[in-house]
């Protein structure tokens, strides 16, 4: 427990945070690469089609993002308690859930696709060509669901073990594969949205096997690959019950988050193909910003989780408060840097990602929302990391319920009154409200250390 008794330095946090930031930011970077490749092809309006198809996977994958979060929180706490058997049990439980859910999505792909595109097309001005191309994208990419969701468990586990460097390696590998295949399939072969889907499918399958190999490497460092395995530990009724409860709460939370993103994209379609495509470009930048800032949140997951699991609660409480304060300081500094970056280089980024013409003009018109987005999302992302590490899933669920109930009517009213600017304003309020509700409940975590003494 000497590691747990040491003070947490900014250097320690940065060692965890910067690889996690790289790993997190490459996820929306894939979307940005998709946009760039399509902009270079003869089918630039397929950007809107990929936007429609992607929102289904965002809804599905983000809904089951609880797999990564619960594995991360439970594994970090087990590591803090030096319970190696439970760290491995948490991984297996998460991996089984992820693979099974992905398999179910693949088997049910036809009814899911039919329902999804019926809903996306309702009240939308998107053309039939765009909707059909979006469906082709969905029909190809869905085959990667079992691999993508099983990878979530591996990513959460690597995070909790403090191996964000391995998390970065797996994520960067997937990105490089996708970039190469995007260029080949979309720019070279001119497959359009279908080429983007094929590249993503191959990258997700490859990423799963790389992540699995890295997990085995970590296990070798902690007693060996064959050590610490026990069916009794994996299927312990008490721990299973806790795992199910945490997963269900985060499932509801993440389902509402994914639904809100899907609602945002669908409402953007009401303004036509050009605005829908512009929103897709901006949304990739918005997500890139938030997930790049997520590195300090992931560091907080690990540090807070280890503190919650530690046996010496006095030392653990001190580590908890230091972790919260220092990760918030680093996250705020990064957010300010991103604001400056977008304010100075926004036009150049748009020119890189979009073809000349209506899509570029529309994106430039709405770009101020991206410029201020780092300040809007940073607090909510950081609080998410703290609550995940503490496995305070009920508060995360309730925060999302409140925020979504406000966002839906606000988006209808503001979009009706101010158009796409109003839609982005409602989206921004949604993120700010998430942060505000979690901030109200944050003191509960600190008080829990006193109750455990």
């Amino acid at each position: 427990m000497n590691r747990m008794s040491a003070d947490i330095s900014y250097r320690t946090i940065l060692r965890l945070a910067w690889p996690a930031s790289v790993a997190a930011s490459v996820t929306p970077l894939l979307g940005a690469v998709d946009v760039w490749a399509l902009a270079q092809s003869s089918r630039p309006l397929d950007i809107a089609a990929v936007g429609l198809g992607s929102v289904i996977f965002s809804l599905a994958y983000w809904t089951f993002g609880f797999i990564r979060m619960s594995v991360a929180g439970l594994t970090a706490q087990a590591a803090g308690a030096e319970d190696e058997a439970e760290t491995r049990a948490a991984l297996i439980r998460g991996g089984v859930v992820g693979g099974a859910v992905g398999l179910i999505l693949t088997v049910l792909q036809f009814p899911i696709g039919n329902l999804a595109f019926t809903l996306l097309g309702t009240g939308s001005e998107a053309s039939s060509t765009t909707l059909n191309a979006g469906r082709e994208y969905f029909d190809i990419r869905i085959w990667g669901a079992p691999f993508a969701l099983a990878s979530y468990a591996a990513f959460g586990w690597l995070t909790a073990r403090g191996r964000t460097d391995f998390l970065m390696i797996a994520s960067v590998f997937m990105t490089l594969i996708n970039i190469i295949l995007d260029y080949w399939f979309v720019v070279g072969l001119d497959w359009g949205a279908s080429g983007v889907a094929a590249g993503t499918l191959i990258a997700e399958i490859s990423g799963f096997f790389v992540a699995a190999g890295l997990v085995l490497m970590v296990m070798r460092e902690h007693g060996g690959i064959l050590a610490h395995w026990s069916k009794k530990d994996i299927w312990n009724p008490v721990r299973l019950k806790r795992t199910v409860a945490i997963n269900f709460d985060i499932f509801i939370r993440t389902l509402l988050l994914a639904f809100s993103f899907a609602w945002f994209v669908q409402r953007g379609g009401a303004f036509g193909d050009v605005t829908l495509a512009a929103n897709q470009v901006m949304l990739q930048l918005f997500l890139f910003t938030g997930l790049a800032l997520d590195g300090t949140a992931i560091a907080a997951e690990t540090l807070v989780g280890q503190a919650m699991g530690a046996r010496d609660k006095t030392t653990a409480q001190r580590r908890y408060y230091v972790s919260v304060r220092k990760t918030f300081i680093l996250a705020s500094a990064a957010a300010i840097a991103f604001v400056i970056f977008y304010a100075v280089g926004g036009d150049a980024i748009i020119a890189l990602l979009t073809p000349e013409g209506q899509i570029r003009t529309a994106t430039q018109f709405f770009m101020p929302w991206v410029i201020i987005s780092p300040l809007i999302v940073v607090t909510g992302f950081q609080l998410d990391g703290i609550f995940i590490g503490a496995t305070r899933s009920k508060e995360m669920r309730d925060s999302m319920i409140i925020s979504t109930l406000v966002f839906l009517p606000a988006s209808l009213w503001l979009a009706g009154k101010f158009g796409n600017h109003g839609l982005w304003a409602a989206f921004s309020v949604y993120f700010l409200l998430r942060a505000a509700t979690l901030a109200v409940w944050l003191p509960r975590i600190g008080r829990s250390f006193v109750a455990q003494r």
Side-chain angles (χ1 to χ4, degrees):
M1 297 299 291
N2 291 333
R3 173 175 54 86
M4 292 301 301
S5 64
D7 288 333
I8 299 172
S9 66
Y10 284 110
R11 186 173 185 176
T12 297
I13 295 172
L14 287 172
R15 180 183 61 80
L16 292 170
W18 80 262
S21 289
V22 173
S25 61
V26 296
T27 300
L29 182 59
L30 295 179
V33 170
D34 295 341
V35 169
W36 171 83
L38 289 167
Q40 313 308 310
S41 73
S42 63
R43 302 163 63 176
L45 280 178
D46 268 12
I47 294 172
V50 170
L52 290 174
S54 295
V55 78
I56 301 172
F57 290 96
S58 296
L59 181 61
Y61 290 178
W62 285 5
T63 296
F64 298 104
F66 68 81
I67 298 167
R68 187 203 71 80
M69 297 177 194
S70 64
V71 170
L74 293 169
T75 301
Q77 291 182 19
E82 298 184 324
D83 187 349
E84 184 63 28
E86 177 57 19
T87 67
R88 301 192 181 197
L91 171 65
I92 295 301
R93 294 182 203 121
V96 169
V97 171
V101 169
L103 186 60
I104 291 171
L105 292 176
T106 304
V107 171
L108 298 178
Q109 61 179 284
F110 296 111
I112 291 173
N114 290 338
L115 175 62
F117 279 93
T118 298
L119 294 175
L120 287 171
T122 302
S124 174
E125 293 299 320
S127 66
S128 59
T129 300
T130 293
L131 289 169
N132 290 336
R135 181 58 190 264
E136 291 175 4
Y137 172 93
F138 170 84
D139 289 343
I140 294 171
R141 188 178 169 188
I142 189 63
W143 292 97
F147 300 93
L149 293 178
S151 295
Y152 281 11
F155 292 160
W157 195 81
L158 290 170
T159 296
R161 301 313 302 259
R163 296 309 304 259
T164 53
D165 54 339
F166 280 3
L167 179 67
M168 177 184 68
I169 290 171
S171 300
V172 170
F173 173 82
M174 290 174 61
T175 303
L176 291 176
I177 290 294
N178 211 350
I179 290 173
I180 294 169
L181 294 177
D182 264 2
Y183 187 82
W184 181 20
F185 293 155
V186 180
V187 180
L189 300 179
D190 202 27
W191 287 1
S194 296
V196 170
T200 304
L201 168 64
I202 296 171
E204 286 175 342
I205 295 173
S206 303
F208 166 78
F209 288 105
V210 170
L214 294 172
V215 164
L216 293 177
M217 289 177 64
V218 175
M219 287 182 178
R220 290 180 65 181
E221 298 171 359
H222 292 272
I225 296 173
L226 300 179
H228 304 294
W229 294 108
S230 168
K231 290 183 179 179
K232 183 179 178 181
D233 289 326
I234 294 173
W235 308 118
N236 180 290
V238 175
R239 288 175 172 173
L240 272 176
K241 183 177 180 180
R242 184 184 180 213
T243 300
V244 169
I246 292 170
N247 280 341
F248 182 75
D249 288 335
I250 302 180
F251 167 76
I252 297 299
R253 172 259 184 199
T254 315
L255 176 64
L256 292 173
L257 175 62
F259 172 78
S260 297
F261 270 85
W263 175 267
F264 174 83
V265 173
Q266 200 275 345
R267 287 293 82 206
F271 304 114
D273 284 351
V274 171
T275 299
L276 179 62
N279 278 355
Q280 175 65 9
V281 175
M282 292 172 58
L283 196 57
Q284 298 308 318
L285 296 175
F286 188 89
L287 290 172
F288 173 78
T289 303
L291 294 179
L293 294 173
D294 205 29
T296 49
I298 290 174
E301 287 180 21
T302 302
L303 297 171
V304 169
Q306 290 177 355
M308 296 299 294
R311 294 168 186 150
D312 181 351
K313 294 304 176 184
T314 301
T315 301
Q317 185 180 35
R318 178 168 59 84
R319 285 177 59 86
Y320 163 75
Y321 283 118
V322 172
S323 298
V324 171
R325 176 171 57 84
K326 290 188 174 181
T327 54
F328 258 113
I329 290 172
L330 290 176
S332 299
I336 293 170
F338 266 103
V339 170
I340 296 171
F341 172 70
Y342 282 133
V344 173
D347 287 343
I349 296 170
I350 294 170
L352 177 65
L353 293 177
T354 60
E356 241 183 287
Q358 291 180 305
I359 297 176
R360 182 178 296 181
T361 301
T363 305
Q364 290 171 330
F365 183 65
F366 297 114
M367 186 64 182
W369 292 107
V370 173
I371 294 174
I372 65 172
S373 66
L375 300 179
I376 291 171
V377 302
V378 63
T379 302
F381 271 67
Q382 197 60 30
L383 287 170
D384 269 349
I386 294 167
F387 277 78
I388 289 168
T391 58
R392 301 298 292 240
S393 57
K394 290 183 179 179
E395 288 89 344
M396 296 175 69
R397 178 200 65 195
D398 293 346
S399 170
M400 193 61 67
I401 290 173
I402 294 170
S403 302
T404 304
L405 289 176
V406 173
F407 169 60
L408 296 180
S411 65
L412 292 173
W413 183 74
L414 289 171
K417 196 170 183 65
F418 302 106
N420 199 46
H421 274 303
L423 183 62
W424 276 95
F427 203 44
S428 299
V429 169
Y430 169 71
F431 279 93
L432 292 172
L433 189 55
R434 280 179 56 203
T437 49
L438 288 176
V440 169
W441 291 318
L442 182 62
R444 295 181 182 179
I445 301 176
R447 290 195 295 267
S448 70
F449 286 96
V450 178
Q452 293 177 50
R453 287 178 190 168

